Amino acid sequence: MARPREFDPAKALDEAMHVFWKKGYTATSVEDLVEATGVNRYGLYDVFDSKRGLFLAALEYYRRTVVTEAIQELERPGASIAAIHAVFERIIRRARTGEAKYGCLLCNTAEEVAPFDPEAAREVTTYQRRLIKAFRAAVREAQHKGELTESIDPAEMGRYLAGLIQGASYLARSPSTNQEVEDFVHVGLRVLG
């Protein structure tokens, strides 16, 4: 008879996600994960198969939770220029409070793991496409409302704004100051007028 699981896999996944977010995949040891989750390696491996399996699950979880919360206003029907600015103001607020010091787990993964791991690259691509789609829709809506000129290409601007988020995330994780992050975002948003 199999023993019942003695831990909550969802809670362990959330705790592991934070470890990967803070330290990165390579610098995170199985011991770090065991310490953070309070679950022994066999328990983690029973549910997630391996450190890599847990990492991939953490990426998907991050995308479903953290990313959804960060861009939910942008994905609402009728979102336009105010929603675009709100997403970036959130980044600035997070930088000011120190919450952004680890950047974005998916942006970090794009640099550290995705070039060598097709499944991690797929998670990053899914995230990027979601950002681009949301920004593109908001730009189209802003044009429809007369908030932006029709000369702006929504697809091109969607890709640019997604890149701006990724750049701001990188700066927030780097030794850059909060003012440098804020300046980067504000200069980058000038293209919207």
Side-chain angles (χ1 to χ4, degrees):
M1 181 168 168
R3 287 180 38 190
R5 198 172 283 139
E6 296 177 11
F7 70 95
D8 178 356
K11 184 174 185 293
L13 181 60
D14 183 72
E15 291 162 342
M17 176 194 72
H18 283 89
V19 175
F20 287 125
W21 193 357
K22 178 180 179 181
K23 296 184 78 171
Y25 177 74
T26 305
T28 297
S29 68
V30 174
E31 290 73 28
D32 293 330
L33 296 167
V34 166
E35 183 178 327
T37 63
V39 179
N40 69 41
R41 78 173 48 228
Y42 304 107
L44 291 174
Y45 286 1
D46 183 48
V47 175
F48 301 105
D49 295 325
S50 63
K51 174 185 160 182
R52 180 177 172 272
L54 180 53
F55 178 69
L56 292 172
L59 288 178
E60 192 272 335
Y61 176 73
Y62 178 90
R63 191 171 40 78
R64 277 189 300 109
T65 58
V66 176
V67 171
T68 296
E69 181 185 331
I71 67 170
Q72 63 188 350
E73 186 173 344
L74 189 63
E75 293 183 315
R76 286 193 178 111
S80 63
I81 200 77
I84 293 170
H85 283 284
V87 167
F88 286 98
E89 286 304 317
R90 177 185 163 95
I91 291 170
I92 290 170
R93 272 194 319 277
R94 291 186 72 238
R96 285 182 191 148
T97 63
E99 289 177 51
K101 66 184 169 191
Y102 303 125
C104 163
L105 178 58
L106 284 156
C107 293
N108 300 344
T109 299
E111 182 181 349
E112 180 192 12
V113 183
F116 316 104
D117 187 318
E119 289 182 75
R122 224 176 347 271
E123 283 294 330
V124 171
T125 299
T126 299
Y127 160 69
Q128 290 171 330
R129 287 182 180 154
R130 182 179 178 187
L131 277 180
I132 291 166
K133 179 181 176 185
F135 279 125
R136 184 178 60 230
V139 168
R140 280 192 185 122
E141 184 66 22
Q143 288 173 323
H144 177 73
K145 292 177 178 177
E147 298 170 340
L148 288 176
T149 176
E150 292 292 328
S151 65
I152 293 174
D153 180 311
E156 186 178 274
M157 186 58 69
R159 289 188 297 272
Y160 168 77
L161 292 170
L164 188 62
I165 277 193
Q166 293 166 340
S169 173
Y170 170 80
L171 284 178
R173 187 173 175 90
S174 78
S176 298
T177 66
N178 295 340
Q179 188 62 54
E180 289 168 328
V181 174
E182 191 169 338
D183 291 347
F184 176 78
V185 168
H186 286 153
V187 170
L189 288 177
R190 285 185 193 154
V191 300
L192 297 175

